[in-house]
Amino acid sequence: MKLVFISDTHNRHRDIKIPEGDILVHAGDVSSRGIKSEIDSFINWFQSQPHKHKIFIAGNHDFFFEKIVERNVEVKIPNVIYLNDSGCEIEGLNFWGSPVQPEFFNWAFNRKRGKEIKQHWDLIPKNTDILITHGPPYGILDKTTRNELVGCEELVKKVIEIKPKIHAFGHIHEGYGIFKNENTTFINASILNEKYIYTNDPIIIEI
């Protein structure tokens, strides 16, 4: 099975050359300002992709989805799976997705480090095969241009505990790439670089 990962497209989705695959995964920041017209444009494009399964989560720019969560409205999109602290099973693989990240200015889905954000990671099932979060775990593909590690400490603890096959994320554009340990393949799939220029290719993983 071929999985294609992208993240942080920020309205540039129509510029991206998406490879063929079975499952297309977007790890958040589909928009720039999080307004409905931007979200509609992304969803129309995402729905049109030929992959059999399409999964996405929101990111810190995607205020539209945060407002929906606040109103406790369920998101249902034809031909697309949207995850928000929730999961799904596809052909024997268990997926879990969450948009939250450690507090970062006044963006969407901010949570305080420590106890508050840990409540979200505690929801992740132990049998998760593919974990999708918007922000990275601490110390893994999370270094900024200022050489600061800004990933989540509580998230890396959870990943070490449950050992998913893949952990995909974005958020820190300059962290783009792949890192592997003995249990997990970590993917920062940010398509745009730190200057919001389209420079990075989608990442393909075969399982």
Side-chain angles (χ1 to χ4, degrees):
M1 184 179 297
K2 184 182 292 185
L3 288 78
V4 180
F5 294 91
I6 57 176
S7 186
D8 296 80
T9 50
H10 296 284
N11 291 332
R12 297 290 302 275
H13 43 269
R14 297 188 186 277
D15 298 334
I16 303 167
K17 296 179 181 178
I18 302 293
E20 294 180 354
D22 301 296
I23 303 176
L24 177 60
V25 177
H26 195 303
D29 275 359
V30 306
S31 67
S32 289
R33 294 174 294 159
I35 59 177
K36 187 176 185 299
S37 60
E38 293 180 341
I39 301 301
D40 287 344
S41 173
F42 167 77
I43 288 175
N44 289 337
W45 171 82
F46 203 59
Q47 287 176 314
S48 73
Q49 298 309 300
H51 307 73
K52 183 177 180 181
H53 305 284
K54 294 172 279 287
I55 303 171
F56 81 100
I57 64 171
N60 59 289
H61 280 249
D62 302 326
F63 289 98
F64 177 83
F65 290 105
E66 185 177 54
K67 291 175 182 176
I68 287 177
V69 171
E70 290 171 352
R71 296 199 301 266
N72 198 30
V73 176
E74 185 178 0
V75 177
K76 291 185 178 180
I77 305 170
N79 198 34
V80 168
I81 298 170
Y82 170 70
L83 299 179
N84 178 19
D85 282 336
S86 59
C88 66
E89 186 270 331
I90 297 175
E91 299 187 26
L93 291 174
N94 295 310
F95 291 78
W96 186 268
S98 176
V100 305
Q101 75 280 310
E103 218 167 16
F104 179 70
F105 294 108
N106 192 30
W107 293 100
F109 298 105
N110 275 347
R111 300 293 185 270
K112 294 184 184 299
R113 291 180 183 270
K115 183 178 179 180
E116 183 173 278
I117 200 166
K118 182 178 182 295
Q119 294 175 11
H120 291 270
W121 310 143
D122 285 345
L123 298 173
I124 303 171
K126 293 182 179 179
N127 66 344
T128 299
D129 297 303
I130 316 293
L131 176 61
I132 311 160
T133 61
H134 182 56
Y138 182 81
I140 300 175
L141 305 175
D142 67 332
K143 184 181 288 188
T144 69
T145 53
R146 297 181 179 181
N147 288 320
E148 297 173 329
L149 302 179
V150 295
C152 180
E153 298 89 345
E154 298 299 333
L155 179 56
V156 77
K157 292 176 187 176
K158 189 65 177 182
V159 173
I160 291 171
E161 174 192 338
I162 67 173
K163 301 177 178 63
K165 292 180 175 67
I166 295 173
H167 180 194
F169 46 87
H171 189 44
I172 306 305
H173 296 192
E174 53 268 53
Y176 171 83
I178 299 174
F179 171 79
K180 298 180 181 181
N181 65 19
E182 62 273 21
N183 300 305
T184 302
T185 297
F186 297 88
I187 300 169
N188 184 324
S190 298
I191 294 296
L192 308 187
N193 67 12
E194 65 275 13
K195 296 181 180 179
Y196 286 73
I197 298 172
Y198 172 28
T199 56
N200 301 324
D201 294 324
I203 292 176
I204 302 170
I205 299 290
E206 293 203 30
I207 294 182

